[in-house]
Amino acid sequence: MFNSLITNFFCFDASRVIDSSGLGRELRCLVCTTTIHFHQVTPKGGIFVASEIVEDCSSRDPLLDIDSLDSSSGVKSDEYLELQVRVLRLTFLLTIFSVGIAGFFLGAGVSVSLLIGALSGIFYFRLLARGVEKLGTSRKIVGKVQLLVPVLLVLASSRFPQLHLIPALLGFLLYKPALIIQFLSMP
Amino acid sequence: MDSITTAASVVAAGLAVGLGAIGPGIGQGSAAQGAVEGIARQPEAEGKIRGTLLLSFAFMESLTIYGLVVALVLLFANPFAG
């Protein structure tokens, strides 16, 4: 008596199940080995099982390779760097524009305070961007170190009378118009 | 600065920071949770997710900064100090 049973075994390789953008790709990732089992009942009552590996997923899709995934995520994180660069460039332009106008109309003291505030705002944004960059990789929460920047700015303005408080705070908030412009220009 | 103004300024500074940090704290936590989940599901969209998270954090944290600045002004540059 001879029975033939075809069984597909799904070999789950967890290290490869990373890119789940499409279901088909994920399924192709999961089906690593297809095995055909022949069950044959011997005359003495025993069961003889013959296995044959028909298809092995040794030639993997390069998109599923973990090294190529790492390199593609590196390419995608360049997008994040580009966003930062765009925001910082826009903030620099706004800083130059506002410092020039303040220096022309309100005097050098206000202009210098505005410039110091704007530079501290850029530093704050850079620290925040670094915290967001580390989120999920080396840290589970975004750090609060960047909040020390406005604290130090207000303390410095209270300590040094040459540094005006209101222009410094307005300069510190100059990164926000750049963020709004960037947010509106996002597709 | 008399004692009543000093006490009121200190209480107001604490309230400004404490109450002002509740909302952004909750919002940042939920935003970070959603972003990390999104990155885990779609690693190829990591750049866009992180960029949007950065913009959201900058907007949310500015509320904390407003409260912080008000508190610091009340403590170190109080306009009501006689």
Side-chain angles (χ1 to χ4, degrees), chain A residues 40-180:
Chain A
Q40 184 177 5
V41 180
T42 60
K44 292 183 179 180
I47 297 176
F48 175 73
V49 178
S51 298
E52 179 186 0
I53 296 176
V54 174
E55 182 187 354
D56 190 5
C57 190
S58 58
S59 60
R60 292 187 174 92
D61 189 348
L63 284 174
L64 301 176
D65 195 7
I66 194 164
D67 299 329
S68 66
L69 277 178
D70 283 346
S71 64
S72 71
S73 87
V75 168
K76 295 300 179 186
S77 66
D78 285 346
E79 197 174 348
Y80 179 63
L81 288 178
E82 284 177 7
L83 174 76
Q84 291 180 46
V85 168
R86 281 199 301 269
V87 171
L88 288 178
R89 192 183 302 152
L90 207 54
T91 309
F92 271 118
L93 287 177
L94 284 172
T95 301
I96 292 170
F97 181 71
S98 56
V99 165
I101 287 185
F104 186 73
F105 287 107
L106 300 173
V110 175
S111 175
V112 169
S113 301
L114 197 69
L115 179 63
I116 291 173
L119 291 179
S120 57
I122 289 171
F123 184 55
Y124 161 80
F125 182 76
R126 188 71 194 97
L127 288 178
L128 180 66
R130 192 177 297 173
V132 171
E133 196 174 346
K134 288 180 180 176
L135 180 69
T137 56
S138 60
R139 282 186 181 177
K140 289 183 179 178
I141 57 171
V142 178
K144 297 293 179 190
V145 185
Q146 67 269 10
L147 286 177
L148 284 177
V149 177
V151 172
L152 291 178
L153 186 66
V154 175
L155 288 180
S157 69
S158 68
R159 178 69 58 91
F160 304 108
Q162 296 87 5
L163 184 62
H164 303 286
L165 179 64
I166 301 297
L169 286 179
L170 287 178
F172 177 78
L173 293 175
L174 271 181
Y175 73 94
K176 289 204 72 173
L179 282 181
I180 292 172

Side-chain angles (χ1 to χ4, degrees), chain B residues 16-36:
Chain B
V17 174
L19 294 180
I22 291 175
I26 295 172
Q28 285 186 356
S30 64
Q33 178 199 1
V36 171

